[in-house]
Amino acid sequence: MKKNYLLTPGPTPLPPQVCEALARPIIHHRTPQFQAILKEALEGLKYVFQTSSDVFILSSSGTGAMEAAVANLLSSGDTAITVEGGKFGERWTELCQAYGVHAEVIKVEWGKAVRVEEIKAKLKATKARVVFTTLCETSTGVTSDIKSIAEVVKNSEAVLVVDAISGLGVIDLKTDEWAVDVVVSGSQKGLMLPPGLGFISISQKAWKLIDAARSPRYYFDLRAAKKAWAQADTPFTTPVSLVVALNAALKMLKQEGLENVFTRCGKMAESVRAAAGALGLKLYADASCASDAITAINVPSGLDGEKLVKTMRDIYGVTIAGGQSELKGRVFRIASMGYINEFDITLALSCLEKVLYQMGYKFELGAGVKAAQEVFLVL
Ligand SMILES: *Cc1c(COP(=O)(O)O)cnc(C)c1O
């Protein structure tokens, strides 16, 4: 008998409460019943986004919310700063270029976090209207110091946009307190939902840019969204079932409490790092910026990294992530986000050990699981 376990950085496993909500009969989206559900969702999202500003729900994956940010904030010929320390940072640059926006790229060595001084210098040297960053660079397992970045950007003309697709509801991001203007996210990571919803929060400072921008936009026009949402309505048909399920997920996050969610995810990531160390494996990300949402571990030399991930998945049913782009075959990644707890992590680690052992890697069987258990035993 094979059982399946999902420890990837999206999609993440669905809690039974979410599955139940998804299975309910559909209702019409332009009814008082759905308006009440929508209002509840928007309030709940403000809690998770840690903002009192408007949060919008988009019918797209996370990248749709990223595109909405670029299309709504900028015009062709504008300049924006993008931080590229991995595959998802690169997406900001590609999106800017698609809209004719000149991207001033800050290249960051993969596995490292951007230095705030570099953003400060780039802001001084350019007329950038927007700074695009990533909370957790999922491809490398690096968390950026958004608080310090916001400190710099808030004293400039520019608007700060954070891709928190993998970080929201996993790592602390104090949107209002730190003065982050725009936060984008998606449904299938920390929020424990199937893929299909994008989210975006907008500050007052960002609205000024949105109202002045001249990029073509239609489906993702946030001005239209704002108008509709003021009447608890949506410009187009909303994915009703996903929004119903969103409320179930938000209720769970509220019940646990955001702070406790961050602690749980942090502990799980810490245990994975401890396990890697005990197994003699090296972490890809620099220790100073290792993410609590996802841990990238170097494939030991001489071992086939893709085969490792495939064997865990296809023979044993434990799905972790391999490496993306230039890291293909060089790292494997274990997520610590969403509906995952300590026993999911120890289970994944025991499977990892089994496959490493079968592939001939030398270590003491059980050492990784033991190290993880020891982390979890500390309250
Ligand atoms: C997953 C992810 C994305 C892409 O989101 P999609 O939902 O696949 O469009 C973008 N940025 C980060 C940091 C991610 O983890």
Side-chain angles (χ1 to χ4, degrees):
M1 184 191 69
K2 188 172 145 193
K3 285 178 79 170
N4 292 311
Y5 303 89
L6 196 53
L7 290 102
T8 55
T12 55
L14 302 182
Q17 293 93 317
V18 167
C19 294
E20 180 274 320
L22 287 167
R24 285 181 215 163
I26 193 106
I27 60 170
H28 195 275
H29 58 290
R30 306 225 189 271
T31 56
Q33 292 97 307
F34 185 67
Q35 282 184 322
I37 289 166
L38 195 56
K39 274 189 185 155
E40 189 183 329
L42 295 180
E43 281 313 306
L45 283 172
K46 285 182 187 182
Y47 169 71
V48 177
F49 273 73
Q50 302 190 58
T51 184
S52 59
S53 299
D54 293 326
V55 182
F56 297 97
I57 301 174
L58 306 173
S59 314
S60 72
S61 76
T63 305
M66 293 173 76
E67 176 151 355
V70 173
N72 280 275
L73 290 165
L74 293 158
S75 313
S76 177
D78 281 351
T79 297
I81 294 169
T82 60
V83 176
E84 278 189 8
K87 186 174 153 54
F88 294 109
E90 287 171 0
R91 190 162 296 177
W92 281 130
T93 308
E94 289 163 11
L95 276 164
C96 284
Q97 285 162 354
Y99 281 85
V101 171
H102 172 68
E104 281 283 344
V105 181
I106 300 178
K107 286 254 181 214
V108 182
E109 191 189 332
W110 284 33
K112 298 248 166 75
V114 65
R115 289 185 309 114
V116 181
E117 296 73 46
E118 286 190 72
I119 292 177
K120 210 175 194 170
K122 247 321 182 232
L123 273 172
K124 255 201 187 136
T126 64
K127 286 213 159 39
R129 287 181 193 272
V130 178
V131 178
F132 290 103
T133 60
T134 314
L135 173 59
C136 167
E137 178 46 80
T138 317
S139 60
T140 60
V142 164
T143 294
S144 298
D145 182 1
I146 297 297
K147 187 183 179 193
S148 303
I149 294 170
E151 194 70 44
V152 165
V153 179
K154 112 178 147 186
N155 295 316
S156 77
E157 294 284 304
V159 154
L160 175 62
V161 179
V162 176
D163 167 359
I165 295 175
S166 62
L168 191 85
V170 183
I171 308 168
D172 199 9
L173 174 63
K174 297 195 192 304
T175 303
D176 284 2
E177 196 180 314
W178 297 348
V180 179
D181 295 297
V182 175
V183 174
V184 301
S185 197
S187 51
Q188 78 277 24
K189 304 193 183 189
L191 291 186
M192 312 183 285
L193 294 163
L197 295 181
F199 308 104
I200 184 164
S201 75
I202 314 277
S203 74
Q204 284 308 320
K205 189 177 174 186
W207 274 118
K208 289 204 187 106
L209 272 193
I210 291 174
D211 290 331
R214 297 179 316 277
S215 284
R217 52 202 134 139
Y218 187 83
Y219 193 65
F220 289 133
D221 190 338
L222 294 173
R223 296 165 300 184
K226 189 184 189 182
K227 236 190 202 160
W229 295 88
Q231 271 94 53
D233 204 353
T234 54
F236 312 106
T237 307
T238 307
V240 170
S241 302
L242 285 175
V243 177
V244 171
L246 170 62
N247 280 347
L250 290 169
K251 196 169 157 193
M252 289 177 71
L253 289 170
K254 254 199 176 143
Q255 261 167 6
E256 187 176 357
L258 265 191
E259 287 304 321
N260 296 324
V261 173
F262 301 150
T263 305
R264 170 170 54 83
C265 295
K267 208 92 202 204
M268 292 193 294
E270 189 189 339
S271 75
V272 173
R273 295 193 290 265
L279 295 173
L281 300 170
K282 293 251 174 324
L283 301 176
Y284 182 76
D286 200 76
S288 62
C289 54
S291 181
D292 281 346
I294 177 117
T295 305
I297 299 170
N298 288 342
V299 174
S301 60
L303 242 60
D304 182 340
E306 288 185 65
K307 188 175 162 203
L308 169 77
V309 172
K310 259 198 195 125
T311 307
M312 285 180 69
R313 183 189 66 212
D314 296 342
I315 307 293
Y316 300 114
V318 177
T319 304
I320 61 168
Q324 295 169 285
S325 327
E326 61 193 71
L327 292 181
K328 207 172 160 79
R330 290 178 49 207
V331 301
F332 57 91
R333 296 171 299 147
I334 300 176
S336 43
M337 60 175 78
Y339 188 59
I340 295 180
N341 74 10
E342 61 175 280
F343 300 108
D344 297 314
I345 295 289
T346 44
L347 179 142
L349 290 170
S350 75
C351 180
L352 171 68
E353 287 195 13
K354 180 162 186 155
V355 177
L356 282 172
Y357 191 87
Q358 289 169 335
M359 290 175 84
Y361 179 67
K362 295 281 176 267
F363 65 101
E364 190 191 332
L365 206 56
V369 173
K370 178 170 184 282
Q373 292 272 40
E374 282 165 355
V375 169
F376 289 126
L377 278 167
V378 180
L379 290 175

